[in-house]
Amino acid sequence: METRRLGRTGRDVGVVGLGAWQLGADWGSVDESDALAVLHAAIDGGVTFIDTADVYGDGRSERLVGQVLKSSEGLTVATKMGRRVEQVSENYTLENFRAWNDRSRQNLGVDTIDLVQLHCPPTPVYSDDEVFDALDTLVDEGRIASYGVSVETCAEALTAIARPNVASVQIILNALRLKPLDEVLPAAQAAGVGIIARVPLASGLLSGKYDEHTTFADDDHRTYNRHGEAFDVGETFSGVDFTTGLEAVRRLMPWLPAGTAMAQFALRWILDQPGVSVVIPGARNPAQVAGNISAATLTPLTADQLAAVQQTYDDLIRPQIHDRW
């Protein structure tokens, strides 16, 4: 698999990674054997970057990743912290960082975590010097090798990129969420900051497998967070109205190369954007893992295909969400 430098971490990672949210919770039930099968299929397929968080299944995802980490070499594992407490800036302290870090290191079974990201914290946190001094302290203490941020908005990303020791920014980027192309990706490239593209398939909308009759389990965020009832609605279908998203996918279908699935096309689109370090699709079974990985082998999209994505976004999606995030 092609590798790229992950910003200021100094690490090279495969361009298609694995997002491990669904192995913890919020995507319906995934039993332990299936979760481990996904992780092993990813590693066997050449994935070298795995992204998790301390709140995914209240540590379950981290513990599962920790199991495979014991027997695997060459992996870069990123986790996130900050969402286990009330979302106020006052909770982002060195004392809390150490406690959260202790728990994640125990879950992962490591002394030093490769990359720790603030998990979509309150906006004022990005401008708080003490927060980033505390993160520098975690590096100095050998608890973490590098730190980054996971953001909701492009404005938050730009504030973080200006920080001298932020290694990476994780942001929603997909064929239904194009705003990061305007300023965030160029700024990250100029600063040497890595871009981790999350929600790459818009919560499955860009798989091309859904229609107006598709339903999801009650414990799946695609049921209970469609209007932002539990967390930022941008995390569910990228904030796009479900029906509008279906129409966008139908417009894109004719542009798929022969033999290419919609999900592969959508992932290839992300990989073709200058400045992207790694994309982190999730998967519930090894077949989905293999499909995701295959996107790295596709020929880059043509100018006409890229233009079709842009036109579809401008026609259907931009009026809904462009100014929101």
Side-chain angles (χ1 to χ4, degrees), residues 304-320:
D304 286 345
Q305 289 168 324
L306 295 172
V309 173
Q310 182 71 57
Q311 190 63 56
T312 299
Y313 177 82
D314 289 343
D315 290 347
L316 297 176
I317 309 299
R318 181 184 289 271
Q320 277 194 18

Side-chain angles (χ1 to χ4, degrees), residues 139-172:
V139 175
D140 293 341
E141 292 175 346
R143 293 167 166 270
I144 64 178
S146 300
Y147 63 81
V149 296
S150 184
V151 306
E152 293 291 1
T153 71
C154 290
E156 290 169 348
L158 292 169
T159 302
I161 288 167
R163 292 276 172 182
N165 295 326
V166 166
S168 62
V169 168
Q170 184 175 144
I171 191 168
I172 296 175

Side-chain angles (χ1 to χ4, degrees), residues 154-212:
C154 290
E156 290 169 348
L158 292 169
T159 302
I161 288 167
R163 292 276 172 182
N165 295 326
V166 166
S168 62
V169 168
Q170 184 175 144
I171 191 168
I172 296 175
L173 174 67
N174 59 52
L176 305 182
R177 184 76 85 86
L178 270 58
K179 189 175 180 179
L181 304 184
D182 295 344
E183 295 183 64
V184 173
L185 267 61
Q189 267 194 298
V193 171
I195 289 290
I196 302 168
R198 82 168 185 276
V199 196
L201 298 179
S203 307
L205 257 178
L206 287 165
S207 71
K209 297 178 180 178
Y210 300 166
D211 62 24
E212 288 80 0

